[in-house]
Amino acid sequence: MVLKSLSARHSPLSETQRQLGILNEAPFNDGDLETFQQKLKSSGKFPLKPLQLEIFQVNVGYMCNQTCAHCHVDAGPDRKEIMTKNNLDKCFEIVKKYGFKTVDITGGAPEMNPNFFEFVEQLSTFGIEIIVRSNLTIIEANKKYHTLPEFFKKHKVRVISSLPFYQKDRTDKQRGDGVFDKSIKALQKLNDQGYGKQGTGLILNLVYNPVGPFLPDDQAALESQYKQALKTNFDIDFNSLFTITNLPISRFLEYLLASGNYEDYMYKLVDAYNPAAVEGVMCKNSISVDWEGNIYDCDFNQMLKLKVATPKSNHLNTFDLDDLMNRDIVINQHCFGCTAGAGSSCQGTTV
Amino acid sequence: MDNTYYNSADLRKFGKVTEWSEKVGKKFFDWYGEAFAEGELSAKEKALIALAVAHVVQCPYCIDAYTEESIKKGYSEGQMMEALHVAAAIRGGASMVHGVQMMNKAKKLNM
């Protein structure tokens, strides 16, 4: 089990250039596999353009109470990058001014940002959909987070939470010892507030990440297994399950390389390239903002430090919606993770 | 590349076996796909059957493929090992049940 972030271990992979270098070596640079750009071109989808900006995804910091083995953020307790109140205020103003439909708050554990509560309160004053990507265990981590379920309910937050499997051993293998039991407790507390229960309007979605170097199985089949197992064993209800493919970056890339699975995984992603899945990828309807206010096409590009390809509006300070709408989306080989099989986005499959 | 009869990277090339006999190769893969589709048995149950059979036919490619498929479809390691024991028990049983033939013959040969 990984106990520290790549960053804290000073791993060469904490340098995003090193990650991008690996993603552009064999089997891509020797012609064995087509690059993502070549695939898009041959399916008539290059350059990739945004459709409509609906979702404002804001990463409020990389600090987390967990150090998951697959984390694409390289988050953990040792990460100190946290969005300031000043930048949160700028996010609020932009969301309000441009009429985004949804604010998707992520991290790290977003709740660990000292201004998180105030930010949610602020957003809830004008009827926008608020998503919080909560890791569940944060609710149990410290007394100050024990009332999160009530807070979420009060502000009608849609909660999206990772639970990589409905069995303890696989969940703990990916997310750390004891995570499954704490997650179950947290889910029961969310259910107690009405989350995941019919007729309450309080939405609780779960996220499945494969615990290994393979694509997710059919989303509907997994959802039905999750619902049955969680109901039978723990009396837990939730609304729907999102299957999300692990992208070959950050700590998942480290795992792929260390376990000798990297090349095979890239073949799997490329072989499963599905042009139909391209249409629903999240970079087409959302933007991602980092703790410093930089703007990216998605959270994965953020972690590779690939800013939007329009220097004029690649920061909150110079946000220009028209300019962003005209941009070409920045792509690289990691993008195969979002277009494989039934596709993958922050809202699950894309087809 | 190691000089071995089996190379795990060859599994990726499975689809290429149609190249020298496209028509019948395509029929094979259509049939293969259909055999694994949801039916009266679920796709999940079929994956576990395939895993068990893979051990009986001792196909390393099939073992790799259906180990992954079984994990992906939510089977635990314990369930997968139980399936293997069922397969192995049938295999062992197939030898042991021939013991009846041995006993019959031996009895016939004894004065």
Side-chain angles (χ1 to χ4, degrees):
Chain A
M1 174 48 71
V2 179
L3 293 173
K4 283 185 174 177
S5 67
L6 296 171
S7 174
R9 284 183 276 136
H10 306 291
S11 160
L13 284 177
S14 63
E15 297 297 326
T16 57
Q17 282 308 317
R18 178 72 195 118
Q19 295 185 42
L20 287 165
I22 290 166
L23 288 170
N24 286 283
E25 289 165 7
F28 293 100
N29 68 353
D30 55 10
D32 271 6
L33 288 178
E34 281 188 299
T35 62
F36 192 68
Q37 181 172 328
Q38 287 166 332
K39 279 279 188 193
L40 283 184
K41 276 185 179 164
S42 55
S43 46
K45 295 181 186 300
F46 182 80
L48 202 56
K49 302 291 280 185
L51 286 172
Q52 201 178 353
L53 285 183
E54 295 174 330
I55 303 172
F56 188 95
Q57 189 174 64
V58 51
N59 192 315
V60 297
Y62 303 154
M63 187 183 281
C64 189
N65 58 316
Q66 293 181 185
T67 317
C68 302
H70 71 302
C71 183
H72 74 279
V73 178
D74 193 28
D78 55 57
R79 298 299 299 263
K80 306 299 177 206
E81 299 89 338
I82 289 283
M83 186 177 266
T84 58
K85 168 130 179 41
N86 186 28
N87 275 340
L88 285 167
D89 287 344
K90 285 178 195 165
C91 289
F92 175 74
E93 290 306 324
I94 288 168
V95 164
K96 201 172 167 183
K97 179 175 174 189
Y98 293 101
F100 278 88
K101 284 186 182 167
T102 303
V103 176
D104 186 338
I105 309 171
T106 188
E111 300 92 335
M112 292 177 89
N113 182 307
N115 299 298
F116 166 81
F117 291 90
E118 192 186 333
F119 184 52
V120 171
E121 279 163 9
Q122 209 175 8
L123 289 167
S124 72
T125 56
F126 66 104
I128 193 168
E129 182 190 36
I130 307 167
I131 293 175
V132 173
R133 292 186 186 265
S134 176
N135 68 19
L136 294 174
T137 63
I138 190 74
I139 296 173
E140 297 290 308
N142 186 302
K143 204 177 167 188
K144 63 181 167 181
Y145 303 124
H146 286 180
T147 54
L148 272 168
E150 289 88 340
F151 176 78
F152 289 150
K153 180 184 180 179
K154 186 178 173 194
H155 298 288
K156 297 187 175 59
V157 168
R158 180 171 155 206
V159 179
I160 302 184
S161 294
S162 279
L163 188 71
F165 211 54
Y166 50 80
Q167 288 163 349
K168 183 180 166 68
D169 57 341
R170 292 218 176 126
T171 296
D172 286 359
K173 211 178 276 181
Q174 186 183 81
R175 299 177 77 78
D177 289 341
V179 165
F180 184 78
D181 292 340
K182 284 182 198 158
S183 301
I184 291 298
K185 271 189 199 160
L187 286 170
Q188 286 165 336
K189 286 183 179 172
L190 286 162
N191 274 178
D192 289 345
Q193 292 301 316
Y195 271 97
K197 301 280 184 189
Q198 269 191 342
T200 61
L202 297 169
I203 306 296
L204 172 62
N205 301 126
L206 295 183
V207 171
Y208 164 91
N209 288 108
V211 187
F214 46 85
L215 295 176
D217 200 35
D218 177 71
Q219 185 168 268
L222 276 170
E223 180 180 289
S224 134
Q225 288 178 43
Y226 264 70
K227 286 204 164 172
Q228 197 188 352
L230 292 178
K231 188 72 189 168
T232 307
N233 300 329
F234 308 105
D235 196 28
I236 285 170
D237 294 297
F238 68 95
N239 294 88
S240 48
L241 180 79
F242 299 152
T243 57
I244 299 187
T245 303
N246 291 315
L247 263 64
I249 67 169
S250 195
R251 293 214 287 266
F252 192 66
L253 176 61
E254 180 189 41
Y255 155 75
L256 289 173
L257 293 167
S259 60
N261 280 304
Y262 171 73
E263 190 178 296
D264 213 36
Y265 192 66
M266 295 314 290
Y267 270 91
K268 266 178 216 159
L269 295 184
V270 177
D271 287 347
Y273 172 76
N274 178 2
V278 176
E279 293 313 309
V281 289
M282 63 189 180
C283 51
K284 294 198 115 191
N285 73 344
S286 53
I287 52 143
S288 159
V289 180
D290 77 5
W291 65 285
E292 291 180 296
N294 298 306
I295 297 173
Y296 307 83
D297 299 291
C298 70
D299 203 46
F300 300 108
N301 279 5
Q302 177 180 148
M303 300 316 150
L304 290 170
K305 295 192 167 62
L306 298 169
K307 287 188 206 174
V308 283
T310 166
K312 196 179 136 196
S313 45
N314 66 9
H315 193 274
L316 291 173
N317 292 341
T318 53
F319 191 95
D320 179 334
L321 192 65
D322 292 336
D323 189 44
L324 285 167
M325 283 302 294
N326 286 325
R327 79 196 196 276
D328 291 347
I329 291 165
V330 178
I331 55 166
N332 212 300
Q333 312 334 328
H334 63 293
C335 302
F336 277 115
C338 291
T339 58
S344 179
S345 77
C346 286
Q347 316 283 330
T349 56
T350 65
V351 290
Chain B
M1 186 183 291
D2 292 340
N3 185 16
T4 60
Y5 281 100
Y6 289 114
N7 178 354
S8 61
D10 283 347
L11 179 56
R12 295 177 203 139
K13 303 174 191 160
F14 187 19
K16 293 191 195 300
V17 296
T18 59
E19 282 177 2
W20 293 354
S21 185
E22 205 171 316
K23 192 175 161 193
V24 70
K26 184 182 177 307
K27 283 187 176 173
F28 166 75
F29 278 111
D30 286 347
W31 167 61
Y32 194 101
E34 191 71 30
F36 278 93
E38 276 307 309
E40 291 189 31
L41 288 173
S42 66
K44 183 177 174 179
E45 288 164 331
K46 289 177 178 182
L48 195 64
I49 293 171
L51 178 70
V53 174
H55 284 81
V56 174
V57 298
Q58 291 175 302
C59 165
Y61 301 115
C62 314
I63 292 171
D64 276 3
Y66 288 98
T67 299
E68 178 175 318
E69 196 63 16
S70 297
I71 291 174
K72 192 168 151 176
K73 293 205 178 295
Y75 287 110
S76 66
E77 282 79 356
Q79 288 172 315
M80 287 156 62
M81 189 55 85
E82 281 187 26
L84 171 53
H85 276 289
V86 171
I90 290 292
R91 194 166 182 151
S95 292
M96 290 306 290
V97 74
H98 284 79
V100 177
Q101 187 183 342
M102 173 190 77
M103 290 162 81
N104 287 343
K105 184 69 178 176
K107 279 174 194 162
K108 202 172 172 182
L109 292 175
N110 278 340
M111 286 183 76

